[in-house]
Amino acid sequence: MKRLRGIGVSSGLIMGGVYVFGKERIKPRKRKISRKELKKELAILKYAEEETRREMLSIISKIEKDFGERFSSIFNIHLALLDDPILIPYARKKIEEEGINASYAFWEVIEKIIENFSFHSGQMGRMMEVLHDISSKMLHYLGEREQIRLEDIEGKVIIVGKNFTPQDTLQIPKEKIAGIVCSMGTQTSHAAILARALRIPAILGIPDIENILSSTDIIILDGRTGKIIINPTKKERELYARRKKEEELEVYHKEGLTRLPAKTKDGHRVNLVANIEIPEEAYLIKKENADGIGLFRTEFLFIERIDLPDENEQTKVYLDVAEAAHPHPVTIRTLDIGEGKLVSFLKTEEVESSFGMRAIRLCLKYKEVFKTQLRAILRASVKGNIKVMFPMITSIDELKEAISILSLTKDELKKKGIPFDRDLEVGTMIETPASVFIADILAEMVDFFSIGTNDLIQYTLVVDRINPKTAYLYEPLHPSILRSIKNVVEAAHKKGIWVSMCGEMASEPLYTPFLLGLGIDELSVNWDAVSSVRNVIRKITMEKASKIRDKVLSLNSPKEIRSFLKLQMKTIY
Ligand code: PEP
Ligand code: MG
């Protein structure tokens, strides 16, 4: 239990005392009310609704002031939930018809909604966060819950809880938060987005962490790797102090570098682009001086909701991102759901036996969903800076069918006189061993490749990418992975198309020299990694990178390769 791992959502290394909050979810006591009390309970419900709305509006306006509309608009969903035709009206109906107290009536309705959502979307997503958030706010105003009041805490602490809401982030003075660790949440959670924007190291998704830690514990938190060490030993503290110093030095050097292009010492220019999961992240492109968006995962639009996003809703989102990135390019990846990323239109049997039934396979099965997305992408492509790519391709037939549906969709738009970019570039992800072996054929059918190392490693080495128990087998430097990448780059270049890498391997500066040596054209990285990858690119020559590539390819063990790369990093710096 001393070391735990979750999802590192905001990088930074920190050691500090923890403050644990919100261990238990509130369950109000059920109380029968008299006819005389009915009016009062209805008024309490109305009061809670109004106060929650008022609080949300004030939070939205504070976020808008501090971060701009792109961030504040993500909280409109809280307001929409208060206007939901079921939530408040059903609670009201329950009070009237069952003669029960307002807090219990409201709690029962929202718990039912939470239960439904968790069936469709799992426990961790954004919509669950919104539901829990509105639930705790309403219950507070219904007299049931004290809110976290960190004002009384002295000094800086690492906040630990089940769920850290955006309001929590904003209400607590920033100088009091050293870090955040929660049992709920993912990369796309509100807490994750704001933690990144505020540059607070954060780890989400460590199950039950609020019960594992207590407020007397000290932890080391590494937001990049997602690891925590509980009550570190003297040796671990010393190691932490050394790494912290190195990190501070790195940050100091990075800041001046941001404005400079991703160009090697001998003038070779690499496209340094970023991965995004929600449209609001696109604004970071200017701040981090990225060359574009190399992977826009569109799943966020589909998960954690019961209906499907229609063509207009999707078009608006894609247009917004294209506009935020303009004139830089945005590569939109078509829907990649299944195997854990679930949406409500999937049938129960697809949810239950989901191995391999994901991404392009589901899109080719649910063609209308696919076509609607393609129509929206094409309509947004009028901006001229959008590219489209297909995930999880394993066969020529799959890619052929996807491309033919895209052509069909273009024909339909042409007939209706709806404009789109006639030169839209089309790519495929290479993230399965099957696609690696047929890369030379696939290269004839598309304009570019994007290597998804997260899945490529998972399917090549047969390790579940999200299971901590098999994490020790997940090895990016396994020669099979390195050779796969080499083969893909060569196959692409032979056919005259360009290659990007958007899997996590692209975000690891240690691998950058090797990837440059292979001649990769684009690296699509996490925001956290833009400057450190840029730094390596700017410190190396292509000649040196080629030498590193040759040596790496001649070594057989990942351990040896890692040591060699670490040594090279020392010489580069
Ligand atoms: C990948 O598999 O490397 C990738 C970028 O796609 P995702 O992580 O969304 O599966
Ligand atoms: Mg993938």
Side-chain angles (χ1 to χ4, degrees), residues 549-567:
R549 171 205 60 200
D550 290 345
K551 178 71 185 169
V552 164
L553 289 171
S554 76
L555 297 171
N556 295 333
S557 99
K559 213 167 146 194
E560 265 180 299
I561 299 172
R562 192 171 301 280
S563 307
F564 169 72
L565 287 175
K566 280 187 177 164
L567 203 70

Side-chain angles (χ1 to χ4, degrees), residues 189-239:
S189 302
H190 293 141
I193 299 157
L194 281 173
R196 284 195 288 270
L198 293 165
R199 301 278 190 258
I200 297 171
I203 300 176
L204 305 182
I206 304 185
D208 209 31
I209 192 67
E210 68 277 18
N211 293 314
I212 294 169
L213 291 177
S214 73
S215 292
T216 51
D217 288 324
I218 287 179
I219 62 168
I220 293 176
L221 177 169
D222 186 343
R224 197 177 63 81
T225 59
K227 288 182 191 160
I228 63 165
I229 303 176
I230 305 166
N231 297 323
T233 59
K234 187 163 172 272
K235 215 165 155 198
E236 284 164 335
R237 285 173 193 233
E238 282 166 5
L239 186 69

Side-chain angles (χ1 to χ4, degrees), residues 236-502:
E236 284 164 335
R237 285 173 193 233
E238 282 166 5
L239 186 69
Y240 158 80
R242 267 208 307 280
R243 283 193 42 215
K244 184 78 189 158
K245 215 171 224 157
E246 279 167 17
E247 196 190 74
E248 279 164 9
L249 215 69
E250 223 175 275
V251 170
Y252 174 76
H253 287 307
K254 266 186 224 161
E255 278 166 4
L257 269 174
T258 307
R259 294 291 118 209
L260 301 171
K263 201 193 252 181
T264 59
K265 267 164 107 175
D266 48 350
H268 178 79
R269 184 73 163 89
V270 186
N271 250 352
L272 182 57
V273 292
N275 296 343
I276 65 167
E277 310 222 9
I278 60 159
E280 289 76 17
E281 286 178 281
Y283 99 103
L284 285 165
I285 211 171
K286 301 222 160 69
K287 204 166 166 186
E288 294 289 341
N289 188 25
D291 296 316
I293 304 294
L295 167 65
F296 175 16
R297 293 179 166 104
T298 52
E299 292 78 65
F300 91 98
L301 263 162
F302 293 79
I303 49 185
E304 296 148 32
R305 54 191 285 170
I306 285 166
D307 59 340
L308 278 166
D310 65 17
E311 186 182 323
N312 285 341
E313 180 182 343
Q314 288 190 61
T315 307
K316 182 175 176 327
V317 169
Y318 305 148
L319 270 173
D320 280 353
V321 173
E323 200 162 282
H326 203 268
H328 300 294
V330 176
T331 301
I332 301 182
R333 181 178 73 184
T334 59
L335 188 56
D336 179 0
I337 34 111
E339 274 188 22
K341 290 181 197 168
L342 304 177
V343 292
S344 55
F345 70 81
L346 295 180
K347 300 200 174 74
T348 316
E349 65 268 21
E350 282 161 343
V351 174
E352 282 164 2
S353 59
S354 62
F355 180 73
M357 190 33 101
R358 70 177 261 204
I360 197 70
R361 296 173 178 179
L362 278 175
C363 283
L364 295 178
K365 186 167 176 188
Y366 294 94
K367 289 201 178 63
E368 269 320 305
V369 175
F370 189 41
K371 279 181 75 177
T372 305
Q373 182 174 38
L374 290 176
R375 262 198 308 275
I377 294 172
L378 283 168
R379 280 174 59 193
S381 73
V382 282
K383 287 259 167 224
N385 60 338
I386 282 181
K387 305 172 199 300
V388 65
M389 71 177 171
F390 305 117
M392 285 287 294
I393 292 289
T394 50
S395 75
I396 312 295
D397 287 340
E398 271 169 358
L399 185 57
K400 252 191 204 155
E401 194 176 352
I403 291 173
S404 110
I405 295 175
L406 179 67
S407 308
L408 218 84
T409 314
K410 283 182 184 172
D411 290 344
E412 282 170 17
L413 291 186
K414 265 186 228 162
K415 265 192 209 134
K416 287 186 184 158
I418 299 172
F420 61 89
D421 178 7
R422 306 275 169 125
D423 300 319
L424 176 90
E425 279 191 79
V426 180
T428 179
M429 286 199 64
I430 302 287
E431 50 182 347
T432 59
S435 61
V436 170
F437 283 112
I438 56 170
D440 56 331
I441 317 174
L442 297 174
E444 288 175 356
M445 303 163 70
V446 287
D447 300 303
F448 66 94
F449 283 162
S450 187
I451 307 175
T453 52
N454 308 341
D455 281 313
L456 185 59
I457 297 169
Q458 153 164 280
Y459 294 121
T460 306
L461 303 184
V462 199
V463 258
D464 182 349
R465 60 189 262 192
I466 55 163
N467 185 350
K469 287 187 187 139
T470 50
Y472 73 101
L473 294 167
Y474 193 89
E475 179 51 86
L477 295 179
H478 191 294
S480 64
I481 303 301
L482 305 179
R483 288 176 194 199
S484 296
I485 298 168
K486 173 181 172 279
N487 294 350
V488 171
V489 176
E490 282 175 1
H493 287 173
K494 224 179 241 171
K495 296 280 155 69
I497 67 166
W498 56 274
V499 195
S500 178
M501 175 181 284
C502 61

